[in-house]
Amino acid sequence: MHPIHRESHFIDRIGWLRAAVLGANDGIISTSSLVVGVAAASTSPDEVIVAGVAGLVAGATAMAAGEYVSVSSQADTEAADLAKERRELSEQPDAELHELTNIYVARGLDAALARQVAEALSAKDAFAAHSRDELGLSAHVVARPIQAALTSAVTFACGAAIPLLIAIASPLPRIPWVVSGGSLVALAILGAAGAQTGGAGIVKPMLRVTFWGAIAMGTTAVIGRLVGHSL
């Protein structure tokens, strides 16, 4: 007798992984850009540190609020669709069975087998079958607002702490260069780690996050220098 084969799929991590990568990426890019921009226009390291700390706190809370609101909207839509599906199953079960049958036919089963599968799944749990196969909702993709908010807030703060600590340890004239370089390395590591956790190749994610991070930091450094010289 063969042992039970248990599989673990990377898709199971998608809920928290998306929020974690987004939070850490935004934390590194936004805080490093803020620090670089302020350092390019400032004559005091204290101003740079205050700006960095403010960016960390404001960014983490904003990420938490934004994730909670957006994912809650998704959860509300999912709940409305599920309530509608439950009502239709109660009011017109035959039509819903026919609908489920057509879904399986469209996926490649012949009509007789599709009907048999639809009847078997409906007999076991019609609501679960329609939620999964008609609405495309399952446990690993369902919206979790609190999880997304907490994950984004924590990872944003961790990401933002990297350029902030680099800035604290650097002399003011070198802050733009040292923070930019350190943050790009951190972004590359983040891209590789996120890709590895999700089971994807690491080269493209690394290039993607470092490219856009460099654009953001370069833009704010130029603007900071221009504004600083005009004041």
Side-chain angles (χ1 to χ4, degrees):
M1 184 175 181
H2 295 290
I4 296 176
H5 176 58
R6 299 185 182 277
E7 292 185 345
S8 177
H9 295 285
F10 294 109
I11 193 72
D12 295 335
R13 307 171 182 175
I14 194 170
W16 62 265
L17 181 59
R18 180 200 63 82
V21 172
L22 177 64
N25 184 75
D26 278 7
I28 296 171
I29 292 179
S30 63
T31 306
S32 61
S33 298
L34 178 63
V35 166
V36 167
V38 173
S42 178
T43 57
S44 169
D46 292 341
E47 296 176 359
V48 178
I49 303 308
V50 169
V53 172
L56 187 156
V57 175
T61 54
M63 283 293 295
E67 281 285 350
Y68 184 79
V69 170
S70 63
V71 179
S72 291
S73 296
Q74 178 186 340
D76 291 343
T77 301
E78 291 175 357
D81 269 344
L82 290 172
K84 178 182 178 183
E85 197 61 36
R86 193 183 294 277
R87 184 172 62 253
E88 290 175 346
L89 282 168
S90 175
E91 296 174 353
Q92 41 189 350
D94 291 338
E96 289 298 301
L97 179 62
H98 181 68
E99 185 177 29
L100 195 60
T101 300
N102 288 337
I103 290 173
Y104 298 141
V105 169
R107 292 181 180 177
L109 300 183
D110 63 67
L113 180 57
R115 180 75 177 191
Q116 184 181 353
V117 171
E119 289 176 346
L121 292 178
S122 295
K124 181 179 181 180
D125 191 337
F127 180 68
H130 281 269
S131 299
R132 180 182 60 251
D133 296 324
E134 182 181 347
L135 301 180
L137 297 177
S138 57
H140 57 263
V141 297
V142 69
R144 295 183 175 89
I146 294 178
Q147 180 193 67
L150 291 177
T151 301
S152 290
V154 171
T155 54
F156 183 99
C158 291
I162 295 172
L164 181 57
L165 291 174
I166 295 174
I168 292 173
S170 303
L172 180 61
R174 295 184 180 180
I175 285 179
W177 299 106
V178 177
V179 168
S180 296
S183 296
L184 289 176
V185 171
L187 285 171
I189 295 173
L190 172 65
Q196 186 71 27
T197 304
I202 66 173
V203 176
K204 285 186 178 180
M206 287 176 63
L207 294 176
R208 186 165 56 231
V209 296
T210 53
F211 173 78
W212 289 110
I215 293 294
M217 285 179 273
T219 302
T220 51
V222 171
I223 293 175
R225 187 166 295 277
L226 292 175
V227 172
H229 287 173
S230 65
L231 295 178

